Amino acid sequence: MQYAKRGRARFASHRDFGRAFERALRRAGIPMAFSSGFSPHPRISYANASPTGAATEAEYLELGLAAVLDPEWVRDQLNAAMPDGLVVVRVVEAAAGSLAERLTASRWELVLTGVDPAELAGAVADLLAADRLEVERMTKTGLRRFDVRAAVIQLSAEGDRVHLVSLMGEPLVRPDDVVQALHLLRPGLRTGVPALVTRLEQGSWDGERIADPLAC
């Protein structure tokens, strides 16, 4: 299943989405398969959730059903039960293999409101020219330092917008890490306004483009 978070729904956390999605499954009457054990729960497997605050057109999950259903019917029933801004884009029968293994790269759009376009273009050029550029981020295990440049496949600027294609590895380099790197290169880009981030695509990078993970 491919789903989107649009508008104000960008501020829904992964946990918020999970609660809303399970309520929508119940309201829509989708016959779910459940795990075994003392406390059964619906068979739902999420993959690579976007950061809270980021809009997205390309989030993915797998769910197990207790009956064979038409995928388009499932999509329509869920969309009728989902809150505003949370949209099921596509539902297909699961292919063999791991969905998560087909999600290795993302295409993002970052809007840096109020920046000077020439300064932004210069920072992008500087980052692309660098062999390595480290940033710091607080994680659950403490402050971590890692290389942003290694994850960047493509990076370009147009006005106040940055177009980014990045690999998803360990540690995971997020769009705000790239923004931090641009600020390090050009401190004048700091405007005090958070970047508006949208994930446009997610899949595997074949050297030229991001392949559709549901086309397998």
Side-chain angles (χ1 to χ4, degrees):
M1 179 179 296
Q2 178 185 354
Y3 66 93
K5 294 196 301 182
R6 300 169 179 165
R8 292 179 59 84
R10 71 168 60 232
F11 299 109
S13 68
H14 178 57
R15 183 172 295 180
D16 292 334
F17 175 82
R19 286 194 291 259
F21 185 65
E22 290 193 27
R23 283 196 298 268
L25 288 169
R26 292 193 294 270
R27 290 171 181 165
I30 305 296
M32 289 297 299
F34 284 78
S35 63
S36 57
F38 182 75
S39 180
H41 57 273
R43 291 192 177 276
I44 306 172
S45 177
Y46 299 94
N48 297 340
S50 62
T52 302
T56 176
E57 292 295 320
E59 301 301 290
Y60 293 92
L61 61 82
E62 290 181 290
L63 66 159
L65 302 182
V68 177
L69 300 174
D70 176 60
E72 292 188 2
W73 180 86
V74 173
R75 179 200 62 199
D76 294 343
Q77 294 299 112
L78 283 172
N79 278 331
M82 292 282 272
D84 290 345
L86 299 179
V87 180
V88 177
V89 178
R90 286 188 296 164
V91 178
V92 301
E93 185 175 346
S98 168
L99 172 63
E101 290 179 356
R102 300 196 293 272
L103 303 176
T104 60
S106 289
R107 185 181 304 278
W108 304 88
E109 181 184 71
L110 291 62
V111 180
L112 281 66
T113 303
V115 301
D116 179 275
E119 277 286 289
L120 181 58
V124 165
D126 291 346
L127 179 53
L128 290 173
D131 293 326
R132 183 180 182 87
L133 204 158
E134 293 188 342
V135 300
E136 292 182 341
R137 189 203 318 144
M138 185 61 68
T139 68
K140 293 179 180 178
T141 58
L143 190 65
R144 189 166 187 181
R145 188 173 183 86
F146 51 91
D147 178 27
V148 165
R149 180 63 185 90
V152 175
I153 303 173
Q154 294 179 347
L155 191 68
S156 62
E158 182 180 354
D160 63 355
R161 296 173 186 266
V162 172
H163 305 284
L164 166 68
V165 178
S166 59
L167 290 172
M168 293 182 285
E170 177 57 39
L172 177 64
V173 173
R174 306 186 312 201
D176 54 312
D177 298 320
V178 175
V179 172
Q180 183 186 164
L182 296 174
H183 288 167
L184 289 173
L185 291 164
R186 301 290 177 101
L189 291 175
R190 297 182 184 275
T191 64
V193 179
L196 290 176
V197 176
T198 303
R199 173 145 52 192
L200 302 175
E201 291 182 88
Q202 189 179 181
S204 57
W205 179 252
D206 66 5
E208 296 182 357
R209 64 184 182 88
I210 293 177
D212 180 0
L214 299 188
C216 299

